Amino acid sequence: MKKTTYKFSNSSVDYYFDNSFSNLKNIADKKTSIVITDENVFHDHQNKFQGWKTIVVKAGEKYKVQFTADLIISQLIQLEADRKTTLIGVGGGVITDLVGYVASVYLRGINFGFVPTSLLAMVDASIGGKNGIDVAIYKNLVGSIRQPSFLLYDTSFLKTLPDDEWENGFAEIIKHASIKDASMFKELETNSIETYQKNKKLLADLVKRNAILKTKVVQKDEFEKGDRKLLNFGHTIGHALENLNQLSHGRAISIGMTHASIISEKLTGFKDAKRITKLLLQYDLPTFTDFDKQKVFEVLKMDKKRERKEINFVLLQKIGKARIKTIPLKQLEKIIREL
Ligand SMILES: NC(=O)c1ccc[n+]([C@@H]2O[C@H](COP(=O)([O-])OP(=O)(O)OC[C@H]3O[C@@H](n4cnc5c(N)ncnc54)[C@H](O)[C@@H]3O)[C@@H](O)[C@H]2O)c1
Ligand SMILES: [Zn+2]
């Protein structure tokens, strides 16, 4: 079976692109593996799980918490999981984050792999080894960096993915194109969510291209000292809006990217903010929205990306090329007021 192996600092990950879930048995041993999924994925794809020991957890970000990790751990004990066991997370980013986390701490770390089933998990969440859980209001507060041993891609899972979740995935895809891949940006400009939904090959290629793009960024900078920070494009203002306005992640970062592009025009001479907003709208994502600027700024001040009296902000120089700029908080406050 065709696989591509990517090396990270102390492990390597086998990627099985454009593949089928039915091949999972050729990658992981049914006897020593335990599949972990959520209720929605299990409900929509029940037949796929036949013959696999499966733990099903409740779906949604609300359940990406220690309590669910504890539930999984007690089932692992019941199933007599040991150091030879492989955990396989089959689901969206909540499941991959959670399973990566449990696999990192159970018996001080056991083998794990992923079958991402949401577009967002395929192009983003399952890649890069970050895993973890939320604690109270703090997202991803507890976790570790540890790579899965394999990623199996089966885009036919996406047939049951709800519409809103497509938007979340495309927000990250547009982010990738904006910061790293001008030719993918052009491809996106000639398509829409519908054209990708209708064309299996086009979709599988897009997923693969994005997965490789993120993988290469992480490979260069696994522990987020430089280039990996570019993946935060749109996420600084986006995260603040996600919390304040109760928006989905994709919608929030779409608005975040809109404003980051406008700030880029002011600070780097970027000229294509209009092209960014046009593309976001084309993928059913929001661009401008009224928000309480003072409140957003207050949240930004507390952001984990803050270093002393300044904030690291990802700006575009041109489409496909981004850089980090350190902006003093005072200047950022003024810029946000003027947005
Ligand atoms: N580790 C990372 O680097 C990283 C990067 C980005 C996001 N994340 C995390 O990923 C999470 C978001 O991921 P997500 O958007 O996939 O969320 P999710 O896992 O909650 O999935 C979204 C919804 O879609 C459902 N779903 C998933 N696949 C389906 C399918 N094939 N058919 C039907 N329903 C399906 C899920 O049950 C859920 O209701 C967040 O917790 C975020 O913090 C992590
Ligand atoms: Zn994101």
Side-chain angles (χ1 to χ4, degrees):
M1 204 166 32
K2 193 172 170 342
K3 71 174 178 193
T4 317
T5 304
Y6 289 94
K7 286 203 175 1
F8 293 89
S9 55
N10 42 28
S11 62
S12 59
V13 184
D14 294 334
Y15 289 58
Y16 298 87
F17 287 117
D18 207 359
N19 215 296
S20 161
F21 188 82
S22 58
N23 281 324
L24 183 61
K25 60 180 182 308
N26 304 319
I27 302 169
D29 183 354
K30 270 192 178 171
K31 282 205 250 9
T32 55
S33 300
I34 296 174
V35 170
I36 302 174
T37 189
D38 76 23
E39 286 179 346
N40 295 338
V41 177
F42 188 72
H43 176 267
D44 291 349
H45 301 272
Q46 235 162 49
N47 52 339
K48 293 197 172 83
F49 295 93
Q50 271 169 21
W52 291 94
K53 277 180 225 148
T54 307
I55 296 173
V56 183
V57 301
K58 288 207 153 58
E61 185 71 29
K62 219 172 62 192
Y63 296 98
K64 202 178 95 175
V65 291
Q66 185 62 43
F67 180 70
T68 313
D70 291 343
L71 285 179
I72 293 173
I73 290 168
S74 57
Q75 294 188 65
L76 291 178
I77 297 167
Q78 271 177 15
L79 292 166
E80 298 178 356
D82 60 20
R83 288 208 169 74
K84 293 199 181 70
T85 303
T86 297
L87 299 190
I88 306 170
V90 182
V94 166
I95 285 296
T96 55
D97 275 14
L98 199 52
V99 171
Y101 170 64
V102 171
S104 302
V105 293
Y106 186 75
L107 299 176
R108 298 198 186 84
I110 59 172
N111 193 34
F112 67 106
F114 295 144
V115 183
T117 65
S118 70
L119 185 58
L120 184 112
M122 290 182 189
V123 301
D124 187 357
S126 68
I127 298 160
K130 281 191 190 174
N131 56 62
I133 51 166
D134 306 334
V135 181
I137 58 164
Y138 305 102
K139 277 203 68 174
N140 306 320
L141 188 78
V142 169
S144 65
I145 296 189
R146 207 158 160 269
Q147 303 295 338
S149 55
F150 69 84
L151 285 167
L152 173 65
Y153 281 85
D154 179 349
T155 49
S156 74
F157 271 104
L158 299 174
K159 281 183 200 147
T160 56
L161 190 72
D163 283 347
D164 292 358
E165 303 303 335
W166 283 86
E167 289 164 20
N168 280 329
F170 269 105
E172 303 291 355
I173 289 172
I174 293 172
K175 176 192 80 179
H176 285 160
S178 303
I179 61 168
K180 282 278 172 194
D181 191 339
S183 86
M184 175 162 68
F185 197 95
K186 281 196 189 127
E187 179 192 309
L188 290 165
E189 286 180 317
T190 63
N191 288 301
S192 66
I193 294 187
E194 292 72 33
T195 54
Y196 285 107
Q197 283 174 336
K198 279 185 194 136
N199 188 331
K200 193 176 178 313
K201 169 94 171 68
L202 199 66
L203 180 63
D205 286 348
L206 184 75
V207 164
K208 180 175 175 185
R209 187 171 187 167
N210 277 277
I212 293 173
L213 186 153
K214 177 160 180 192
T215 301
K216 292 203 163 147
V217 171
V218 175
Q219 260 184 327
K220 262 205 230 152
D221 179 24
E222 200 169 346
F223 300 98
E224 198 157 342
K225 298 206 165 58
D227 232 30
R228 192 167 183 170
K229 289 188 179 145
L230 298 180
L231 297 170
N232 290 324
F233 175 58
H235 281 57
T236 308
I237 293 177
H239 277 151
L241 287 172
E242 190 172 347
N243 295 332
L244 288 171
N245 292 15
Q246 300 284 316
L247 288 169
S248 73
H249 181 69
R251 296 180 150 251
I253 66 155
S254 177
I255 298 164
M257 287 190 277
T258 303
H259 291 294
S261 309
I262 291 167
I263 297 173
S264 303
E265 288 197 336
K266 290 188 181 164
L267 300 183
T268 71
F270 177 62
K271 292 193 178 61
D272 276 326
K274 279 213 177 75
R275 251 178 98 191
I276 302 271
T277 49
K278 185 162 179 274
L279 188 64
L280 293 166
L281 290 171
Q282 195 172 319
Y283 285 82
D284 303 336
L285 288 158
T287 51
F288 294 96
T289 181
D290 272 340
F291 60 86
D292 185 331
K293 287 168 187 160
Q294 193 53 38
K295 270 201 185 146
V296 164
F297 179 69
E298 295 301 321
V299 177
L300 288 193
K301 277 205 307 196
M302 308 302 293
D303 197 280
K304 65 181 169 197
K305 286 181 274 300
R306 177 175 60 121
E307 278 158 23
R308 296 182 304 273
K309 291 203 170 318
E310 42 205 31
I311 195 161
N312 285 329
F313 210 89
V314 186
L315 297 175
L316 296 180
Q317 280 179 307
K318 54 185 183 180
I319 287 185
K321 192 161 180 11
R323 70 179 173 106
I324 313 274
K325 192 168 156 57
T326 309
I327 306 181
L329 281 175
K330 276 249 167 331
Q331 190 189 357
L332 187 67
E333 185 172 16
K334 186 164 174 287
I335 290 172
I336 289 180
R337 267 217 200 97
E338 288 166 1
L339 280 176

Short mmCIF file of all heavy atoms in Angstrom, two decimals, residues 52-107:
data_model
loop_
_atom_site.label_atom_id
_atom_site.label_comp_id
_atom_site.label_asym_id
_atom_site.label_seq_id
_atom_site.Cartn_x
_atom_site.Cartn_y
_atom_site.Cartn_z
N TRP A 52 -13.67 -4.21 15.20
CA TRP A 52 -12.68 -3.42 15.93
C TRP A 52 -13.18 -3.19 17.36
O TRP A 52 -14.34 -2.86 17.56
CB TRP A 52 -12.48 -2.05 15.27
CG TRP A 52 -11.79 -2.12 13.94
CD1 TRP A 52 -12.38 -2.17 12.72
CD2 TRP A 52 -10.38 -2.15 13.71
NE1 TRP A 52 -11.43 -2.22 11.73
CE2 TRP A 52 -10.18 -2.21 12.31
CE3 TRP A 52 -9.25 -2.13 14.55
CZ2 TRP A 52 -8.91 -2.26 11.73
CZ3 TRP A 52 -7.98 -2.17 13.96
CH2 TRP A 52 -7.83 -2.23 12.58
N LYS A 53 -12.30 -3.37 18.34
CA LYS A 53 -12.65 -2.95 19.71
C LYS A 53 -12.81 -1.44 19.67
O LYS A 53 -11.87 -0.73 19.25
CB LYS A 53 -11.52 -3.30 20.67
CG LYS A 53 -11.55 -4.73 21.16
CD LYS A 53 -10.37 -4.95 22.11
CE LYS A 53 -9.71 -6.26 21.76
NZ LYS A 53 -8.29 -6.31 21.99
N THR A 54 -13.98 -0.95 20.06
CA THR A 54 -14.25 0.47 19.87
C THR A 54 -14.75 1.14 21.15
O THR A 54 -15.63 0.61 21.82
CB THR A 54 -15.30 0.67 18.76
OG1 THR A 54 -14.85 -0.03 17.59
CG2 THR A 54 -15.48 2.13 18.40
N ILE A 55 -14.20 2.28 21.45
CA ILE A 55 -14.70 3.11 22.55
C ILE A 55 -15.36 4.33 21.91
O ILE A 55 -14.75 4.99 21.05
CB ILE A 55 -13.54 3.58 23.47
CG1 ILE A 55 -12.88 2.37 24.14
CG2 ILE A 55 -14.03 4.58 24.51
CD1 ILE A 55 -11.61 2.72 24.93
N VAL A 56 -16.61 4.59 22.28
CA VAL A 56 -17.34 5.72 21.69
C VAL A 56 -17.55 6.78 22.77
O VAL A 56 -18.09 6.48 23.84
CB VAL A 56 -18.71 5.26 21.14
CG1 VAL A 56 -19.42 6.43 20.45
CG2 VAL A 56 -18.54 4.10 20.16
N VAL A 57 -17.14 8.01 22.49
CA VAL A 57 -17.35 9.08 23.47
C VAL A 57 -18.34 10.10 22.91
O VAL A 57 -18.65 10.10 21.72
CB VAL A 57 -16.01 9.79 23.86
CG1 VAL A 57 -15.03 8.79 24.45
CG2 VAL A 57 -15.40 10.51 22.67
N LYS A 58 -18.83 10.97 23.76
CA LYS A 58 -19.77 12.00 23.33
C LYS A 58 -19.05 12.98 22.39
O LYS A 58 -17.85 13.19 22.51
CB LYS A 58 -20.31 12.74 24.54
CG LYS A 58 -21.28 11.91 25.36
CD LYS A 58 -22.25 12.83 26.09
CE LYS A 58 -23.56 12.16 26.38
NZ LYS A 58 -23.44 10.96 27.19
N ALA A 59 -19.81 13.55 21.46
CA ALA A 59 -19.21 14.43 20.45
C ALA A 59 -19.20 15.89 20.92
O ALA A 59 -20.11 16.33 21.62
CB ALA A 59 -19.98 14.32 19.14
N GLY A 60 -18.18 16.61 20.50
CA GLY A 60 -18.18 18.07 20.70
C GLY A 60 -17.04 18.55 21.59
O GLY A 60 -16.54 17.82 22.45
N GLU A 61 -16.68 19.80 21.37
CA GLU A 61 -15.58 20.45 22.11
C GLU A 61 -15.78 20.36 23.63
O GLU A 61 -14.82 20.21 24.38
CB GLU A 61 -15.52 21.92 21.66
CG GLU A 61 -14.38 22.73 22.22
CD GLU A 61 -13.01 22.35 21.64
OE1 GLU A 61 -12.94 21.90 20.48
OE2 GLU A 61 -12.02 22.51 22.38
N LYS A 62 -17.06 20.44 24.04
CA LYS A 62 -17.40 20.37 25.46
C LYS A 62 -16.81 19.13 26.13
O LYS A 62 -16.57 19.10 27.34
CB LYS A 62 -18.94 20.25 25.51
CG LYS A 62 -19.58 21.00 26.57
CD LYS A 62 -21.07 21.09 26.56
CE LYS A 62 -21.78 19.78 26.68
NZ LYS A 62 -23.22 19.90 26.39
N TYR A 63 -16.62 18.09 25.33
CA TYR A 63 -16.14 16.82 25.89
C TYR A 63 -14.64 16.63 25.73
O TYR A 63 -14.12 15.58 26.08
CB TYR A 63 -16.93 15.65 25.28
CG TYR A 63 -18.39 15.73 25.66
CD1 TYR A 63 -19.33 16.27 24.81
CD2 TYR A 63 -18.80 15.33 26.94
CE1 TYR A 63 -20.66 16.41 25.18
CE2 TYR A 63 -20.13 15.46 27.33
CZ TYR A 63 -21.05 15.99 26.44
OH TYR A 63 -22.35 16.14 26.83
N LYS A 64 -13.95 17.66 25.22
CA LYS A 64 -12.49 17.54 25.10
C LYS A 64 -11.87 17.95 26.43
O LYS A 64 -11.17 18.95 26.56
CB LYS A 64 -11.97 18.43 23.96
CG LYS A 64 -10.62 17.99 23.43
CD LYS A 64 -10.16 18.86 22.27
CE LYS A 64 -9.26 19.97 22.72
NZ LYS A 64 -8.73 20.74 21.57
N VAL A 65 -12.19 17.17 27.46
CA VAL A 65 -11.79 17.52 28.83
C VAL A 65 -11.27 16.28 29.56
O VAL A 65 -11.44 15.15 29.10
CB VAL A 65 -12.99 18.11 29.62
CG1 VAL A 65 -13.39 19.47 29.08
CG2 VAL A 65 -14.19 17.16 29.58
N GLN A 66 -10.65 16.55 30.71
CA GLN A 66 -10.05 15.45 31.47
C GLN A 66 -11.06 14.37 31.83
O GLN A 66 -10.74 13.18 31.84
CB GLN A 66 -9.40 16.02 32.75
CG GLN A 66 -8.63 15.01 33.57
CD GLN A 66 -7.45 14.41 32.81
OE1 GLN A 66 -6.70 15.11 32.13
NE2 GLN A 66 -7.29 13.10 32.89
N PHE A 67 -12.31 14.77 32.09
CA PHE A 67 -13.32 13.77 32.47
C PHE A 67 -13.48 12.70 31.37
O PHE A 67 -13.56 11.51 31.65
CB PHE A 67 -14.67 14.48 32.72
CG PHE A 67 -15.77 13.54 33.10
CD1 PHE A 67 -15.77 12.90 34.33
CD2 PHE A 67 -16.81 13.25 32.20
CE1 PHE A 67 -16.78 12.00 34.68
CE2 PHE A 67 -17.82 12.36 32.53
CZ PHE A 67 -17.81 11.73 33.78
N THR A 68 -13.50 13.15 30.12
CA THR A 68 -13.61 12.18 29.01
C THR A 68 -12.34 11.34 28.91
O THR A 68 -12.41 10.13 28.67
CB THR A 68 -13.86 12.91 27.67
OG1 THR A 68 -14.90 13.87 27.87
CG2 THR A 68 -14.27 11.94 26.58
N ALA A 69 -11.19 11.98 29.13
CA ALA A 69 -9.93 11.22 29.12
C ALA A 69 -9.99 10.13 30.19
O ALA A 69 -9.59 8.98 29.95
CB ALA A 69 -8.75 12.16 29.36
N ASP A 70 -10.52 10.47 31.36
CA ASP A 70 -10.64 9.48 32.45
C ASP A 70 -11.58 8.34 32.06
O ASP A 70 -11.30 7.18 32.36
CB ASP A 70 -11.14 10.15 33.73
CG ASP A 70 -10.10 11.09 34.33
OD1 ASP A 70 -8.91 10.97 33.95
OD2 ASP A 70 -10.46 11.94 35.15
N LEU A 71 -12.69 8.68 31.40
CA LEU A 71 -13.62 7.63 30.94
C LEU A 71 -12.92 6.69 29.97
O LEU A 71 -13.07 5.46 30.04
CB LEU A 71 -14.83 8.25 30.22
CG LEU A 71 -15.89 8.94 31.06
CD1 LEU A 71 -16.98 9.52 30.16
CD2 LEU A 71 -16.51 7.95 32.06
N ILE A 72 -12.15 7.28 29.05
CA ILE A 72 -11.42 6.45 28.08
C ILE A 72 -10.42 5.56 28.82
O ILE A 72 -10.34 4.35 28.57
CB ILE A 72 -10.70 7.34 27.03
CG1 ILE A 72 -11.73 8.08 26.15
CG2 ILE A 72 -9.77 6.50 26.16
CD1 ILE A 72 -11.13 9.11 25.20
N ILE A 73 -9.70 6.16 29.75
CA ILE A 73 -8.68 5.39 30.48
C ILE A 73 -9.31 4.23 31.24
O ILE A 73 -8.80 3.10 31.22
CB ILE A 73 -7.86 6.32 31.42
CG1 ILE A 73 -6.97 7.24 30.56
CG2 ILE A 73 -7.02 5.51 32.41
CD1 ILE A 73 -6.32 8.39 31.30
N SER A 74 -10.47 4.46 31.86
CA SER A 74 -11.06 3.33 32.59
C SER A 74 -11.51 2.22 31.63
O SER A 74 -11.41 1.03 31.95
CB SER A 74 -12.19 3.77 33.54
OG SER A 74 -13.16 4.44 32.82
N GLN A 75 -11.94 2.61 30.43
CA GLN A 75 -12.28 1.56 29.45
C GLN A 75 -11.03 0.85 28.92
O GLN A 75 -11.07 -0.34 28.64
CB GLN A 75 -13.11 2.14 28.31
CG GLN A 75 -14.48 2.61 28.80
CD GLN A 75 -15.39 3.02 27.65
OE1 GLN A 75 -15.77 2.20 26.82
NE2 GLN A 75 -15.73 4.29 27.60
N LEU A 76 -9.95 1.59 28.83
CA LEU A 76 -8.70 0.96 28.39
C LEU A 76 -8.26 -0.09 29.41
O LEU A 76 -7.78 -1.17 29.06
CB LEU A 76 -7.59 2.01 28.20
CG LEU A 76 -7.76 2.98 27.03
CD1 LEU A 76 -6.62 3.99 26.99
CD2 LEU A 76 -7.83 2.21 25.70
N ILE A 77 -8.46 0.23 30.68
CA ILE A 77 -8.09 -0.73 31.73
C ILE A 77 -8.96 -1.99 31.60
O ILE A 77 -8.45 -3.11 31.62
CB ILE A 77 -8.23 -0.09 33.14
CG1 ILE A 77 -7.27 1.09 33.27
CG2 ILE A 77 -7.99 -1.12 34.24
CD1 ILE A 77 -7.51 1.98 34.48
N GLN A 78 -10.27 -1.75 31.41
CA GLN A 78 -11.19 -2.89 31.24
C GLN A 78 -10.81 -3.77 30.05
O GLN A 78 -10.91 -4.98 30.08
CB GLN A 78 -12.62 -2.39 31.01
CG GLN A 78 -13.38 -2.19 32.29
CD GLN A 78 -14.76 -1.61 32.02
OE1 GLN A 78 -15.24 -1.62 30.88
NE2 GLN A 78 -15.40 -1.10 33.06
N LEU A 79 -10.38 -3.09 28.98
CA LEU A 79 -10.00 -3.83 27.77
C LEU A 79 -8.57 -4.38 27.86
O LEU A 79 -8.05 -4.94 26.90
CB LEU A 79 -10.12 -2.92 26.53
CG LEU A 79 -11.53 -2.50 26.13
CD1 LEU A 79 -11.50 -1.35 25.13
CD2 LEU A 79 -12.30 -3.69 25.52
N GLU A 80 -7.98 -4.19 29.02
CA GLU A 80 -6.61 -4.67 29.29
C GLU A 80 -5.58 -4.14 28.30
O GLU A 80 -4.70 -4.86 27.83
CB GLU A 80 -6.59 -6.21 29.35
CG GLU A 80 -7.47 -6.72 30.48
CD GLU A 80 -7.53 -8.26 30.57
OE1 GLU A 80 -6.94 -8.91 29.69
OE2 GLU A 80 -8.16 -8.75 31.49
N ALA A 81 -5.72 -2.87 27.99
CA ALA A 81 -4.73 -2.24 27.10
C ALA A 81 -3.37 -2.21 27.78
O ALA A 81 -3.28 -1.88 28.97
CB ALA A 81 -5.18 -0.82 26.77
N ASP A 82 -2.34 -2.58 27.04
CA ASP A 82 -0.99 -2.57 27.62
C ASP A 82 -0.02 -1.83 26.69
O ASP A 82 -0.46 -1.16 25.75
CB ASP A 82 -0.51 -4.00 27.92
CG ASP A 82 -0.47 -4.86 26.65
OD1 ASP A 82 -0.43 -4.29 25.55
OD2 ASP A 82 -0.50 -6.10 26.78
N ARG A 83 1.27 -1.98 26.95
CA ARG A 83 2.25 -1.22 26.17
C ARG A 83 2.26 -1.59 24.69
O ARG A 83 2.78 -0.84 23.87
CB ARG A 83 3.66 -1.42 26.74
CG ARG A 83 3.83 -0.72 28.04
CD ARG A 83 5.24 -0.30 28.35
NE ARG A 83 5.20 0.58 29.50
CZ ARG A 83 4.98 0.15 30.74
NH1 ARG A 83 4.84 -1.13 30.99
NH2 ARG A 83 4.92 1.01 31.74
N LYS A 84 1.68 -2.75 24.36
CA LYS A 84 1.66 -3.15 22.94
C LYS A 84 0.41 -2.65 22.22
O LYS A 84 0.27 -2.85 21.01
CB LYS A 84 1.74 -4.67 22.83
CG LYS A 84 3.06 -5.23 23.30
CD LYS A 84 3.26 -6.65 22.75
CE LYS A 84 4.56 -7.25 23.23
NZ LYS A 84 4.52 -7.57 24.68
N THR A 85 -0.48 -2.03 22.97
CA THR A 85 -1.74 -1.57 22.37
C THR A 85 -1.52 -0.31 21.52
O THR A 85 -0.73 0.56 21.88
CB THR A 85 -2.76 -1.24 23.49
OG1 THR A 85 -2.93 -2.41 24.28
CG2 THR A 85 -4.10 -0.80 22.92
N THR A 86 -2.23 -0.25 20.39
CA THR A 86 -2.26 0.97 19.58
C THR A 86 -3.64 1.60 19.71
O THR A 86 -4.65 0.92 19.53
CB THR A 86 -1.99 0.64 18.09
OG1 THR A 86 -0.68 0.08 17.97
CG2 THR A 86 -2.07 1.88 17.22
N LEU A 87 -3.68 2.88 20.02
CA LEU A 87 -4.97 3.59 20.04
C LEU A 87 -5.15 4.26 18.68
O LEU A 87 -4.22 4.86 18.14
CB LEU A 87 -4.99 4.67 21.11
CG LEU A 87 -4.82 4.23 22.57
CD1 LEU A 87 -5.11 5.40 23.51
CD2 LEU A 87 -5.74 3.05 22.90
N ILE A 88 -6.36 4.14 18.13
CA ILE A 88 -6.63 4.75 16.83
C ILE A 88 -7.80 5.74 16.97
O ILE A 88 -8.93 5.34 17.24
CB ILE A 88 -6.96 3.68 15.76
CG1 ILE A 88 -5.83 2.62 15.72
CG2 ILE A 88 -7.15 4.33 14.40
CD1 ILE A 88 -6.17 1.40 14.89
N GLY A 89 -7.50 7.01 16.82
CA GLY A 89 -8.53 8.04 16.90
C GLY A 89 -9.19 8.19 15.54
O GLY A 89 -8.52 8.52 14.56
N VAL A 90 -10.49 7.92 15.49
CA VAL A 90 -11.24 8.07 14.23
C VAL A 90 -12.27 9.17 14.46
O VAL A 90 -13.28 8.96 15.13
CB VAL A 90 -11.95 6.75 13.85
CG1 VAL A 90 -12.69 6.91 12.52
CG2 VAL A 90 -10.95 5.60 13.76
N GLY A 91 -12.01 10.35 13.94
CA GLY A 91 -12.95 11.44 14.18
C GLY A 91 -12.39 12.79 13.78
O GLY A 91 -11.37 12.88 13.08
N GLY A 92 -13.05 13.83 14.27
CA GLY A 92 -12.61 15.19 14.01
C GLY A 92 -11.48 15.56 14.96
O GLY A 92 -10.92 14.71 15.66
N GLY A 93 -11.18 16.86 15.01
CA GLY A 93 -10.06 17.34 15.82
C GLY A 93 -10.23 17.09 17.31
O GLY A 93 -9.24 16.96 18.02
N VAL A 94 -11.46 17.05 17.77
CA VAL A 94 -11.67 16.78 19.19
C VAL A 94 -11.17 15.38 19.52
O VAL A 94 -10.45 15.17 20.51
CB VAL A 94 -13.17 16.94 19.56
CG1 VAL A 94 -13.46 16.34 20.93
CG2 VAL A 94 -13.56 18.42 19.53
N ILE A 95 -11.52 14.43 18.68
CA ILE A 95 -11.10 13.04 18.92
C ILE A 95 -9.58 12.90 18.74
O ILE A 95 -8.91 12.28 19.57
CB ILE A 95 -11.86 12.09 17.96
CG1 ILE A 95 -13.31 11.90 18.44
CG2 ILE A 95 -11.16 10.74 17.84
CD1 ILE A 95 -13.45 11.22 19.80
N THR A 96 -9.02 13.51 17.70
CA THR A 96 -7.57 13.32 17.50
C THR A 96 -6.79 13.99 18.65
O THR A 96 -5.83 13.42 19.15
CB THR A 96 -7.10 13.81 16.11
OG1 THR A 96 -7.48 15.17 15.91
CG2 THR A 96 -7.70 12.97 15.00
N ASP A 97 -7.22 15.18 19.09
CA ASP A 97 -6.54 15.82 20.22
C ASP A 97 -6.62 14.97 21.49
O ASP A 97 -5.65 14.81 22.22
CB ASP A 97 -7.16 17.20 20.51
CG ASP A 97 -6.58 18.30 19.64
OD1 ASP A 97 -5.90 17.98 18.64
OD2 ASP A 97 -6.81 19.49 19.95
N LEU A 98 -7.81 14.45 21.72
CA LEU A 98 -8.08 13.67 22.93
C LEU A 98 -7.32 12.33 22.91
O LEU A 98 -6.70 11.93 23.90
CB LEU A 98 -9.59 13.43 22.98
CG LEU A 98 -10.31 13.04 24.25
CD1 LEU A 98 -10.00 13.98 25.40
CD2 LEU A 98 -11.83 13.04 23.99
N VAL A 99 -7.37 11.65 21.78
CA VAL A 99 -6.72 10.34 21.68
C VAL A 99 -5.19 10.49 21.75
O VAL A 99 -4.50 9.72 22.42
CB VAL A 99 -7.17 9.60 20.40
CG1 VAL A 99 -6.33 8.34 20.18
CG2 VAL A 99 -8.65 9.25 20.50
N GLY A 100 -4.67 11.53 21.09
CA GLY A 100 -3.23 11.78 21.16
C GLY A 100 -2.81 12.04 22.60
O GLY A 100 -1.75 11.59 23.06
N TYR A 101 -3.66 12.73 23.32
CA TYR A 101 -3.39 13.05 24.73
C TYR A 101 -3.41 11.79 25.60
O TYR A 101 -2.47 11.50 26.34
CB TYR A 101 -4.39 14.09 25.21
CG TYR A 101 -4.38 14.33 26.70
CD1 TYR A 101 -3.25 14.86 27.33
CD2 TYR A 101 -5.51 14.04 27.47
CE1 TYR A 101 -3.25 15.09 28.69
CE2 TYR A 101 -5.51 14.27 28.83
CZ TYR A 101 -4.39 14.79 29.45
OH TYR A 101 -4.38 15.01 30.80
N VAL A 102 -4.49 11.02 25.48
CA VAL A 102 -4.59 9.80 26.29
C VAL A 102 -3.43 8.86 25.97
O VAL A 102 -2.79 8.30 26.88
CB VAL A 102 -5.95 9.09 26.07
CG1 VAL A 102 -5.96 7.72 26.74
CG2 VAL A 102 -7.10 9.95 26.61
N ALA A 103 -3.12 8.72 24.67
CA ALA A 103 -2.02 7.82 24.28
C ALA A 103 -0.68 8.32 24.81
O ALA A 103 0.25 7.54 25.00
CB ALA A 103 -1.97 7.67 22.76
N SER A 104 -0.56 9.62 25.06
CA SER A 104 0.70 10.17 25.57
C SER A 104 0.88 9.92 27.06
O SER A 104 2.00 9.90 27.55
CB SER A 104 0.77 11.68 25.35
OG SER A 104 0.63 11.97 24.00
N VAL A 105 -0.23 9.76 27.76
CA VAL A 105 -0.10 9.62 29.23
C VAL A 105 -0.38 8.19 29.72
O VAL A 105 0.15 7.80 30.76
CB VAL A 105 -0.99 10.64 29.99
CG1 VAL A 105 -0.46 12.05 29.76
CG2 VAL A 105 -2.46 10.54 29.61
N TYR A 106 -1.20 7.43 28.98
CA TYR A 106 -1.52 6.07 29.43
C TYR A 106 -0.25 5.23 29.43
O TYR A 106 0.47 5.17 28.41
CB TYR A 106 -2.59 5.46 28.50
CG TYR A 106 -3.10 4.11 28.98
CD1 TYR A 106 -3.98 4.02 30.05
CD2 TYR A 106 -2.70 2.93 28.36
CE1 TYR A 106 -4.45 2.79 30.49
CE2 TYR A 106 -3.17 1.69 28.79
CZ TYR A 106 -4.04 1.64 29.86
OH TYR A 106 -4.51 0.43 30.30
N LEU A 107 0.07 4.63 30.55
CA LEU A 107 1.32 3.86 30.72
C LEU A 107 2.54 4.67 30.28
O LEU A 107 3.47 4.16 29.68
CB LEU A 107 1.25 2.54 29.93
CG LEU A 107 0.13 1.58 30.34
CD1 LEU A 107 0.11 0.36 29.42
CD2 LEU A 107 0.28 1.15 31.79
#
